Amino acid sequence: MLFTKVALAAFSMGSALAAPATHQPQARALEVLTVATTTVTTVQKSVQGELANLEKLAVSVNVNTTALIPQIEHSLLTIVGEVNKIVGSVTPLVTQAVPQLVEEELQNVPNLLNGVLSIASGVESTVQKVVDNVGQDVLKAVKPELQLVLHTVEPIAKPVINFALSAVGQTVGPVVDEIHSLVGDLQNILSGLLAPVTGLLSKIL
């Protein structure tokens, strides 16, 4: 009888310890999602400030070419450095199997998508203004930095898109609808930046 009680107690304790294991993939996914969202939000603010500065430089008529080129180069490289800070946070989103999350667990995904979308659309519109407004001599000089900026968007956007779609799976609900809409918007931005013929990048190659 004593052996039976001890065995049952041991079994119950083992079950209690083992039970959380079934939730570990979800817990890990949510942890990585939180870190990625926090990083994107922080970087987004820095990038927005630098994009505003770059836009002012692009339409400036009071700065001569000799002074303008290094300022634009510096601004572009600053943006590249900031965006690259995100890569290490979003890559873990897709380096392991992504469990399907329920709607309550998906609440942070739109925040992450919105942050990346804001950065991507800001880069697109600002680079377009640089291309449209600076002289050909300036454009030729800063072309490598412009290309570099455009190429930084995809490495942060694709992992986020893949994670979002995998996490949603077959889940339904308003949050899921919002996620699908934001994914579509982000995919459109990527296409607008990198399409071989019609993309913004092709205009400055």
Side-chain angles (χ1 to χ4, degrees):
M1 186 70 175
L2 179 60
F3 172 79
T4 303
K5 290 182 178 178
V6 172
L8 287 172
F11 176 78
S12 299
M13 183 177 295
S15 299
L17 291 173
T22 60
H23 300 291
Q24 284 177 2
Q26 283 87 348
R28 174 60 181 157
L30 292 172
E31 178 185 342
V32 173
L33 172 60
T34 299
V35 171
T37 303
T38 300
T39 303
V40 167
T41 301
T42 301
V43 170
Q44 179 188 352
K45 294 174 183 177
S46 301
V47 169
Q48 284 176 334
E50 199 59 50
L51 287 171
N53 179 56
L54 181 59
E55 188 173 325
K56 289 178 183 177
L57 289 171
V59 299
S60 175
V61 294
N62 298 318
V63 181
N64 62 51
T65 299
T66 303
L68 185 61
I69 290 173
Q71 290 183 62
I72 291 179
E73 288 174 335
H74 175 76
S75 187
L76 288 167
L77 291 176
T78 298
I79 293 167
V80 169
E82 287 297 315
V83 174
N84 282 340
K85 292 178 182 178
I86 298 174
V87 175
S89 295
V90 299
T91 301
L93 292 170
V94 291
T95 53
Q96 54 191 347
V98 179
Q100 179 175 318
L101 303 178
V102 299
E103 190 170 26
E104 290 77 12
E105 295 171 326
L106 291 169
Q107 297 296 324
N108 249 355
V109 177
N111 295 333
L112 177 61
L113 284 165
N114 269 314
V116 174
L117 182 62
S118 174
I119 292 170
S121 61
V123 166
E124 180 185 44
S125 63
T126 304
V127 169
Q128 185 65 65
K129 286 178 181 175
V130 172
V131 171
D132 291 343
N133 287 281
V134 302
Q136 287 301 309
D137 51 346
V138 175
L139 184 59
K140 182 178 179 180
V142 302
K143 185 180 292 187
E145 289 78 16
L146 286 171
Q147 293 170 348
L148 192 59
V149 165
L150 293 179
H151 277 299
T152 62
V153 175
E154 188 175 49
I156 67 169
K158 282 202 166 180
V160 170
I161 289 172
N162 291 337
F163 173 84
L165 294 177
S166 297
V168 164
Q170 301 302 313
T171 305
V172 296
V175 174
V176 174
D177 294 340
E178 183 181 5
I179 289 171
H180 281 298
S181 176
L182 289 169
V183 164
D185 292 342
L186 191 50
Q187 289 172 327
N188 288 337
I189 291 287
L190 286 180
S191 177
L193 291 177
L194 305 175
V197 177
T198 58
L200 181 54
L201 180 62
S202 66
K203 298 178 182 179
I204 55 177
L205 288 176

